[in-house]
Amino acid sequence: MNTDPLAEVVSLLQPQARYSKIVKAAGSWRVRRNESGQSFYCLMLEGSSYLTAAGQAPVLLQQGDFVLIPATQGFSMSSMEALAEEDADTEPVALLHGEFRLGRQSGPPEVILLVGHCSFAAPDAALLVSLLPQLVHIRGEHRLSALVQLISEESRAQRPAREVILAHLLEVLLIEALRSTAGSNASPGLLRGLADERLAIALRSMHENIQQPWTVAQLARQAALSRSTFFERFSRTVGITPMEYLQTWRMAKAKKMLAQQEASITEIAEHVGYGSASAFSVAFTRHVGMPPTHFAREAMKTAG
């Protein structure tokens, strides 16, 4: 089976729509948000603005640009006309039809944004998100613009199967945004690893044969690299060691199976590459902080 690691990670994240809204602005304005862990996206429908994410240089956004921050750690958006640090942030003014206005309230808007959040329902969301780039900025991708517009329309309409449609649209949006990013320019993570032809072979091997008892030496052979070169290159490019990546992926798959009551502990252990249920239980408890049976019970309570 030909497995796409990026598609698998995004699918396992289980993106869920939180909200999207149209924001119009004119004159001088600045908004700051300090939410942590949510996925933020912004599509510039008209005009230009600046986005500054924590630890990142300001990004100039122009009409048609799309930005995705898989896990926000605080960010600000501002007008092209700079505001002093001591100036007060702008409070959005609610308009009709769920739209908002920033800055000067009179006259036509100079900037129109579609902004939104989604969350991830995966039990291991934080670890999976850590495999993605910290910031994705895409220019000139009409497919993404069309997808975000569909998400906006669907989120406002109360039609049958709305949540199902939104979940699928968001999954496609995330995959499109991530694969549109130049891998060599991405921050360390899965996307950058997949852009490296040698590392991509090893990553796909882990995903396709998760049950195999991989070693660094075996993965290095898959990538046609020496053990030391492979280990250093993988760690630098992906941001974690090969074995840490493999365990992250195994535990994410195990959590999903436990939460869905798909199989016994023994079957899950075998599926994710452990020789026995006891070895799996020890590794799972160390990784998650509770035994797999306890995790399954808690997941059932939450679902109920």
Side-chain angles (χ1 to χ4, degrees), residues 64 135 211 263 271 276 279 288:
L135 175 69
Q211 71 283 352
H271 179 80
S276 66
V288 179

Side-chain angles (χ1 to χ4, degrees), residues 120-284:
F120 302 114
D124 239 7
L127 280 170
L128 291 170
V129 167
S130 72
L131 301 174
L132 304 179
Q134 297 171 1
L135 175 69
V136 175
H137 177 210
I138 297 164
R139 180 164 288 165
E141 288 286 340
H142 300 297
R143 285 164 62 88
L144 285 170
S145 302
L147 279 167
V148 175
Q149 192 61 46
L150 282 171
I151 289 170
S152 178
E153 292 170 1
E154 193 66 36
S155 65
R156 294 168 190 268
Q158 297 298 321
R159 291 184 286 192
R162 173 177 173 271
E163 296 303 321
V164 175
I165 295 295
L166 277 173
H168 287 298
L169 284 173
L170 278 164
E171 189 172 313
V172 175
L173 173 71
L174 286 169
I175 295 173
E176 276 289 339
L178 292 167
R179 76 178 185 179
S180 296
T181 302
S184 58
N185 296 324
S187 54
L190 174 61
L191 197 65
R192 194 166 165 187
L194 290 173
D196 184 312
E197 290 184 2
R198 298 287 184 89
L199 298 183
I201 295 170
L203 283 162
R204 289 196 172 90
S205 295
M206 282 189 266
H207 280 253
E208 289 171 5
N209 299 294
I210 192 174
Q211 71 283 352
Q212 184 162 325
W214 292 107
T215 64
V216 174
Q218 289 172 331
L219 291 168
R221 282 197 293 273
Q222 290 283 317
L225 294 168
S226 70
R227 186 187 182 283
S228 58
T229 299
F230 170 75
F231 183 88
E232 188 278 330
R233 189 155 146 182
F234 189 103
S235 303
R236 171 170 40 83
T237 305
V238 181
I240 54 177
T241 68
M243 291 298 102
E244 285 173 332
Y245 181 91
L246 181 60
Q247 188 185 48
T248 294
W249 184 239
R250 282 173 168 168
M251 292 303 158
K253 295 280 278 189
K255 279 186 171 185
K256 183 184 180 185
M257 295 178 74
L258 287 165
Q260 295 182 350
Q261 310 291 309
E262 291 180 352
S264 68
I265 300 297
T266 301
E267 289 169 331
I268 294 172
E270 183 179 351
H271 179 80
V272 298
Y274 287 87
S276 66
S278 59
F280 166 68
S281 295
V282 169
F284 188 93

Side-chain angles (χ1 to χ4, degrees), residues 20-39:
S20 63
K21 61 185 179 184
I22 296 288
V23 178
K24 298 178 178 180
S28 299
W29 55 273
R30 179 178 61 213
V31 290
R32 293 191 234 221
R33 295 291 179 263
N34 295 310
E35 301 96 338
S36 178
Q38 291 191 91
S39 176

Side-chain angles (χ1 to χ4, degrees), residues 2 45 66 129 189 192:
N2 188 13
L45 298 178
F66 177 80
V129 167
R192 194 166 165 187

